[in-house]
């Protein structure tokens, strides 16, 4: 398929967007309902209800391709899949399809840092220089782990315009980590740490490198063992580009081309990196993300005080989509108030990916939307939030 979108468009999608249990077998497009321990879910959230109909309408307009899941008290009450995981092979999306999570990955990176802090291996006020070498003194002594986790560090490379994105020839996880860190070390701070919020994928690569140094193992192995393994996320992993292309259980990321509006497989495009690493490189299913939400809220990944610390809002954010009364960024998690109810989680976006994890801790609901189009999923997310909090 011809790729017409520019290098600049691809890089912008990768760099600027917020890269948010056992799988349930399902026939394509089938919905599943399970009774909640607190009774049946509201009619609007059941199969055939307003939420189901709206998602189907979006899919019929070719504005959504993916899987949605709603769960109450840890149990799925609704799962529905639409669209194709692989159009060329005519493989439909299903409830156990693996999707590129993009920036929902940041939740896992933050949890890794939180676990190491809980064990006394690092502190949130530690500076970059306390753990990593090779950064200029003015950066190493000024940037803290707190700054990195809240996107207030000033670390981040500016867009490269129409030039060739660096690192497209890297072909291993180690090359991506080491090469990215080398580039970040050469980049001046964009602003004085702590003075403003500026979303930074590079900052989360630095956090991944800190996990490696403190834990004494690769970031990917640490997260696989202590986050995915602890939460029971058996189908969640960091996949390199060759595996994404070869594995038919992974949904192809269909990247919208401009100006035609057609879609191309980003994984096979010349602009796809080997991995987007600690900032956005994880792949998962809706049921594995539900397992993550259960483990997080149950205190299995962190003790309750540290869970509250990681997920709690730190930096006030400007209005965004979907709209909310109040939105903060915590440590690798969004903390939002919708209709006087708290919503935790993260969003993700990239060429051929649009994802959202919403956890409603006081209502004991979880909403997960995983898409393999980069068309916005905000209308679906917003309707789910309104119906759950009504």
């Amino acid at each position: 398929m011809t790729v017409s979108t520019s290098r600049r468009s691809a890089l912008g999608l990768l760099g600027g967007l917020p890269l948010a249990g056992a799988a349930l077998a399902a026939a394509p497009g089938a919905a599943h309902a399970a009774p909640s321990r607190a009774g049946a879910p509201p009619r609007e959230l059941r199969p055939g209800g307003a939420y189901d109909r709206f998602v189907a309408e979006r899919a019929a307009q070719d504005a959504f391709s993916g899987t949605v899941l709603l769960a109450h008290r840890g149990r799925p009450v609704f799962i529905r899949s639409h669209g194709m995981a692989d159009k060329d092979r005519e493989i439909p999306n299903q409830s156990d399809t693996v999707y590129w999570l993009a920036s929902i990955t940041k939740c896992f990176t933050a949890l890794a840092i939180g676990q190491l802090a809980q064990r006394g291996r690092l502190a949130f006020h530690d500076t970059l220089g306390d753990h990593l070498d090779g950064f200029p003194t003015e950066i190493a002594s000024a940037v803290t782990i707190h700054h990195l986790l809240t996107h207030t560090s000033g670390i981040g490379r500016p867009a490269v315009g129409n030039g060739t994105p660096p690192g497209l020839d890297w072909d291993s996880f180690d090359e991506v980590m080491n090469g990215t860190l080398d580039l970040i070390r050469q980049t001046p701070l964009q602003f004085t740490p702590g003075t403003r919020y500026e979303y930074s994928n590079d900052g989360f690569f630095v956090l991944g490198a800190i996990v490696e140094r403190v834990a004494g193992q690769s970031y990917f192995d640490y997260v696989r063992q202590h986050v995915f393994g602890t939460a029971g996320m058996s189908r969640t992993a960091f996949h390199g580009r060759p595996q994404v292309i070869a594995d038919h259980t992974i949904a192809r990321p269909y990247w919208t081309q401009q100006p035609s509006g057609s879609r191309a497989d980003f994984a096979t495009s010349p602009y796809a990196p080997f991995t987007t690493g600690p900032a956005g490189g994880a792949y998962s299913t809706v049921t594995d993300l539900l397992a993550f939400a259960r483990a997080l809220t149950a205190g299995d990944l962190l003790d309750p005080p540290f869970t509250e610390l990681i997920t709690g809002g730190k930096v006030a954010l400007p209005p965004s989509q979907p709209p909310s009364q109040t939105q903060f960024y915590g440590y690798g998690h969004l903390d939002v108030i919708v209709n006087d109810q708290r919503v935790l989680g993260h969003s993700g976006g990239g060429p051929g990916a649009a994802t959202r994890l919403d956890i409603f801790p006081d209502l004991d609901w979880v909403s997960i939307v995983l898409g393999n189009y980069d068309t916005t999923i905000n209308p679906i997310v917003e309707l789910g939030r309104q119906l759950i909090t009504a």
Side-chain angles (χ1 to χ4, degrees), residues 150-156 190-191 196-201 315:
T150 55
H151 301 287
T152 59
S153 68
I155 282 179
Q190 303 301 300
F191 54 87
R196 76 172 194 248
Y197 171 93
E198 189 72 36
Y199 196 87
S200 174
N201 287 322
V315 180

Side-chain angles (χ1 to χ4, degrees), residues 145-233:
I145 291 175
H146 167 84
H147 291 144
L148 293 165
L149 285 166
T150 55
H151 301 287
T152 59
S153 68
I155 282 179
R157 289 166 290 163
V160 298
N162 289 318
T164 301
L168 293 181
D169 57 342
W170 297 332
D171 59 6
S172 72
F173 289 101
D174 285 344
E175 277 192 298
V176 171
M177 286 294 293
N178 295 333
T180 302
L181 264 291
D182 287 343
L183 292 174
I184 296 171
R185 286 185 175 99
Q186 300 168 29
T187 304
L189 289 176
Q190 303 301 300
F191 54 87
T192 301
T195 61
R196 76 172 194 248
Y197 171 93
E198 189 72 36
Y199 196 87
S200 174
N201 287 322
D202 280 351
F204 271 71
F205 265 90
V206 174
L207 288 167
I210 291 173
V211 170
E212 290 190 340
R213 179 63 61 87
V214 174
Q217 63 183 129
S218 82
Y219 160 84
F220 304 99
D221 288 343
Y222 180 91
V223 172
R224 186 180 300 113
Q225 178 181 353
H226 296 282
V227 179
F228 302 160
T230 299
M233 302 167 70

Side-chain angles (χ1 to χ4, degrees), residues 169-355:
D169 57 342
W170 297 332
D171 59 6
S172 72
F173 289 101
D174 285 344
E175 277 192 298
V176 171
M177 286 294 293
N178 295 333
T180 302
L181 264 291
D182 287 343
L183 292 174
I184 296 171
R185 286 185 175 99
Q186 300 168 29
T187 304
L189 289 176
Q190 303 301 300
F191 54 87
T192 301
T195 61
R196 76 172 194 248
Y197 171 93
E198 189 72 36
Y199 196 87
S200 174
N201 287 322
D202 280 351
F204 271 71
F205 265 90
V206 174
L207 288 167
I210 291 173
V211 170
E212 290 190 340
R213 179 63 61 87
V214 174
Q217 63 183 129
S218 82
Y219 160 84
F220 304 99
D221 288 343
Y222 180 91
V223 172
R224 186 180 300 113
Q225 178 181 353
H226 296 282
V227 179
F228 302 160
T230 299
M233 302 167 70
S234 60
R235 302 203 61 206
T236 305
F238 291 94
H239 297 305
R241 179 184 176 187
Q243 186 172 357
V244 173
I245 294 172
D247 191 335
H248 296 170
T249 69
I250 300 174
R252 313 315 293 251
Y254 289 109
W255 173 30
T256 304
Q257 306 296 284
Q258 301 298 336
S260 69
S262 62
R263 294 187 173 94
D265 182 354
F266 181 68
T268 60
S269 81
Y271 313 123
F274 180 85
T275 179
T276 48
Y283 290 76
S284 189
T285 66
V286 291
T287 45
D288 263 20
L289 274 189
L290 176 58
F292 171 74
R294 285 195 299 252
L296 179 68
T297 55
D300 295 335
L301 292 166
L302 284 170
D303 291 343
F306 273 87
T307 301
E308 181 67 23
L309 178 66
I310 291 291
T311 59
K314 309 290 188 299
V315 180
L317 301 182
S320 66
Q321 293 297 324
S324 64
Q325 297 171 11
T326 306
Q327 179 168 254
F328 284 80
Y329 203 89
Y331 286 163
H333 289 74
L334 288 166
D335 189 359
V336 182
I337 297 175
V338 178
N339 293 334
D340 296 326
Q341 296 292 334
R342 193 175 178 208
V343 185
L344 309 175
H346 214 288
S347 59
T355 63

Side-chain angles (χ1 to χ4, degrees), residues 355-377:
T355 63
R356 177 81 63 157
L357 167 64
D358 275 351
I359 302 170
F360 302 77
D362 297 326
L363 299 176
D364 216 353
W365 278 87
V366 176
S367 169
I368 299 165
V369 183
L370 300 183
N372 62 323
Y373 283 176
D374 45 36
T375 307
T376 181
I377 57 172

Side-chain angles (χ1 to χ4, degrees), residues 5 8-19 201 255-256 349-352 374:
T5 300
R8 184 172 187 173
S9 298
L11 196 66
L13 283 166
L14 280 170
L17 288 171
L19 293 178
N201 287 322
W255 173 30
T256 304
D374 45 36

